[in-house]
Amino acid sequence: VCDLLRASVEINGFAHIVQVYNVAASDYDGRQPFACYRNRLGEGHLVEHLPERDLDGRTVIDVEARTLDAYGAAIGAATLLHI
């Protein structure tokens, strides 16, 4: 998902003002399973929050998850946040 977003940022000429972080937003910090779908390009979710969603084409990967408060403290102020 992040690779697709980074490519879009670059293609659209925003690389000089946009930073993409490969971190999932969650209600607690830690490693969590994240589901991606080959038939839904760019879509994904933390497995814990939607465990029974359509399993067709689902790949589950382990990702870093952080609360917005914790991550914001680490990276500083954001002008715009897209989740």
Side-chain angles (χ1 to χ4, degrees):
V1 174
C2 269
D3 291 340
L4 183 63
L5 179 56
R6 281 189 185 97
S8 177
V9 166
E10 182 69 33
I11 289 167
N12 289 292
F14 294 110
H16 65 289
I17 58 171
V18 173
Q19 294 177 350
V20 177
Y21 297 95
N22 195 15
V23 177
S26 181
D27 56 345
Y28 65 92
D29 294 342
R31 305 294 300 180
Q32 295 187 44
F34 185 85
C36 305
Y37 298 87
R38 69 173 177 263
N39 56 347
R40 296 187 193 115
L41 194 57
E43 182 179 339
H45 61 86
L46 291 171
V47 173
E48 176 181 356
H49 300 294
L50 297 169
E52 298 303 322
R53 192 148 183 199
D54 176 17
L55 301 179
D56 183 40
R58 180 170 92 158
T59 299
V60 177
I61 59 174
D62 187 54
V63 299
E64 176 186 1
R66 304 281 304 272
T67 65
L68 293 179
D69 291 337
Y71 207 68
I75 65 169
T79 303
L80 174 68
L81 178 66
H82 177 75
I83 298 176

